[in-house]
Amino acid sequence: MKKIFLKLFLIPILSTSIFANNIKDYTKNSEVQEFINELVKSYKFEKEKLAELFSKVKTQEKVLKYYFPTKEIKTNEDLRKLKKSRYGTWDDYEERFIGDERAKSGALFMKKHKKELLKAYKKYGVQPEYITAIIGIESQYGKHTGAYPVFDTLTTLAFEKNSRNKFFKSELKEFLLHTKRNDFNPREIKGSYAGATGMVQFMPSNLKKVAVDFNNDGKVDLNNEADAIGSVANYFYISGWDKKIPVATRVSYQGKRFEKFKTGFKYKYERIELVGIKPRSKNFHYPNKVHLVRLDRIKYDELWYGTKNFYVIGTYNRSTYYAMAVYQLAKKIKSEYKKLI
């Protein structure tokens, strides 16, 4: 199957309070006027309803600081420093996302939604524990789906100066189209400070592409468990997931810090090239090229091989830490689930 590259531009939801925002009339902005006219002409929106929406926008000034250029990454050391500034060490990231409680909650989620997860596995070929792990990391199984008003957030990011105006204007259009298709009130939907929504935190541009009405109620609602499960499975399927191959395996190397080869999603290697590196497990059977994944611990670097499936997880969020967290949480969830049956 031809690989479809889907970027969600997801950002983990911050547990932070939303400060008072200014109410602004965006209909006075000529760019917004053009935007409204396009929606009316091309997608048959009602101009009066759009004018009412854009006349009372609570500008989300706090979100703008996340969308300005960052320092260029040229070396492994630059990447190490950036990861530390964003996530801390792998020890910190692991504690935050792969704890025992999250795994136990995931096992309970799997038990409760066994029917939907089995249906998704049969249709899309994605194992239940990986679907569950995504939902667990993105929203703690639906407990934390975001506190920012999505319409106000996307309008702010689309029309207030920042490094991603064009991108967020497109996302705003897709968000409004989604609410129109499903008869949702745009003002009632909450999400992340990037505009991602639901239990699985999809960006609006991915809603039509991969989100599915998995419970057949006529609406795509990613705050509904069945739709969330089906949508994650469909995303993995479209992105090239293969249930027959492994995801990752830890490898050995000489020393405590690894700098010999470049690591991350940009680079793939034939295993024969990686002299001095070998899997710790004898059960890793994967003949194709691998990614090298470096996890920066406090006292040493942990090194892994990542397969095509590891890359698929990484298309959901372009971070090797994120993909590794999904992989390891999925394994823990499956182990905890076996205790329940």
Side-chain angles (χ1 to χ4, degrees):
M1 180 176 61
K2 184 179 179 180
K3 184 181 293 183
I4 300 175
F5 186 73
L6 300 172
K7 275 194 176 181
L8 297 188
F9 295 95
L10 293 184
I11 300 175
I13 300 167
L14 297 181
S15 55
T16 182
S17 60
I18 311 299
F19 294 99
N21 299 286
N22 298 320
I23 295 179
K24 183 175 179 179
D25 182 357
Y26 276 80
T27 63
K28 296 178 180 179
N29 183 318
S30 61
E31 194 177 358
V32 175
Q33 292 171 9
E34 291 177 10
F35 182 79
I36 290 174
N37 289 335
E38 180 199 349
L39 292 177
V40 172
K41 180 180 179 181
S42 301
Y43 303 101
K44 302 186 186 306
F45 279 83
E46 295 181 33
K47 190 168 186 176
E48 294 77 13
K49 288 186 177 180
L50 289 177
E52 192 279 328
L53 263 180
F54 283 99
S55 68
K56 297 177 182 177
V57 178
K58 293 182 180 178
T59 56
Q60 307 292 303
E61 295 176 3
K62 194 174 181 181
V63 305
L64 291 169
K65 69 178 181 180
Y66 298 106
Y67 297 100
F68 288 94
T70 56
K71 181 181 177 182
E72 185 178 359
I73 300 171
K74 293 182 178 179
T75 66
N76 271 339
E77 189 58 30
D78 290 337
L79 182 60
R80 189 194 302 277
K81 289 178 180 178
L82 180 63
K83 282 184 176 180
K84 279 187 176 180
S85 68
R86 287 184 176 177
Y87 313 123
T89 63
W90 173 249
D91 305 80
D92 300 322
Y93 201 88
E94 180 181 47
E95 182 178 359
R96 181 180 177 189
F97 290 108
I98 321 174
D100 291 341
E101 287 305 311
R102 200 177 297 241
K104 290 176 182 177
S105 295
L108 292 172
F109 182 92
M110 278 184 62
K111 184 178 181 181
K112 182 178 179 180
H113 300 289
K114 179 179 178 180
K115 181 180 178 181
E116 294 89 346
L117 287 162
L118 180 59
K119 177 184 173 183
Y121 178 68
K122 288 180 177 179
K123 185 170 184 177
Y124 299 112
V126 182
Q127 296 90 322
E129 63 268 23
Y130 286 96
I131 299 171
T132 304
I134 288 284
I135 295 172
I137 288 177
E138 290 298 334
S139 67
Q140 290 192 35
Y141 313 104
K143 291 180 181 178
H144 303 292
T145 57
Y148 288 83
V150 173
F151 172 72
D152 295 331
T153 296
L154 291 176
T155 300
T156 301
L157 292 169
F159 299 110
E160 300 294 339
K161 185 178 179 181
N162 66 86
S163 63
R164 304 297 302 279
N165 287 125
K166 184 177 179 180
F167 169 74
F168 283 111
K169 189 186 294 185
S170 176
E171 293 297 322
L172 176 60
K173 181 182 77 173
E174 293 299 330
F175 172 72
L176 290 171
L177 286 169
H178 173 70
T179 61
K180 187 176 188 291
R181 286 193 300 268
N182 293 279
D183 196 26
F184 294 148
N185 185 341
R187 293 198 184 279
E188 293 181 354
I189 299 176
K190 300 290 181 68
S192 77
Y193 61 77
T197 61
M199 297 177 70
V200 296
Q201 292 293 282
F202 275 7
M203 289 297 289
S205 55
N206 281 281
L207 293 171
K208 188 176 182 180
K209 291 177 184 176
V210 293
V212 296
D213 173 17
F214 210 53
N215 63 355
N216 299 313
D217 69 350
K219 294 186 177 182
V220 175
D221 181 3
L222 294 184
N223 287 311
N224 172 276
E225 288 87 348
D227 287 2
I229 287 167
S231 296
V232 171
N234 188 39
Y235 177 88
F236 272 42
Y237 171 77
I238 290 173
S239 299
W241 183 265
D242 184 347
K243 67 181 180 181
K244 296 179 182 179
I245 65 174
V247 176
T249 192
R250 192 173 172 186
V251 298
S252 299
Y253 70 96
Q254 290 293 321
K256 291 187 175 182
R257 295 293 181 191
F258 185 79
E259 299 289 346
K260 189 174 181 180
F261 295 94
K262 292 182 178 180
T263 59
F265 289 121
K266 288 184 178 180
Y267 310 101
K268 289 196 294 186
Y269 301 94
E270 297 286 357
R271 287 170 57 184
I272 197 171
E273 299 176 66
L274 302 173
V275 179
I277 302 171
K278 60 182 181 179
R280 291 190 172 194
S281 170
K282 295 181 180 180
N283 297 320
F284 182 71
H285 305 294
Y286 183 70
N288 300 325
K289 289 184 177 182
V290 295
H291 301 280
L292 279 178
V293 182
R294 188 187 65 204
L295 306 178
D296 183 13
R297 290 197 178 275
I298 294 173
K299 295 183 179 180
Y300 62 95
D301 288 338
E302 202 172 287
L303 196 65
W304 292 68
Y305 283 160
T307 70
K308 174 188 173 185
N309 278 350
F310 188 83
Y311 180 86
V312 168
I313 298 173
T315 66
Y316 206 102
N317 184 318
R318 184 58 70 200
S319 160
T320 53
Y321 276 23
Y322 177 91
M324 185 57 71
V326 171
Y327 167 66
Q328 293 193 14
L329 180 59
K331 290 183 66 178
K332 290 184 71 172
I333 288 171
K334 186 175 182 179
S335 178
E336 290 293 334
Y337 179 72
K338 288 179 179 178
K339 298 176 185 178
L340 300 178
I341 57 176

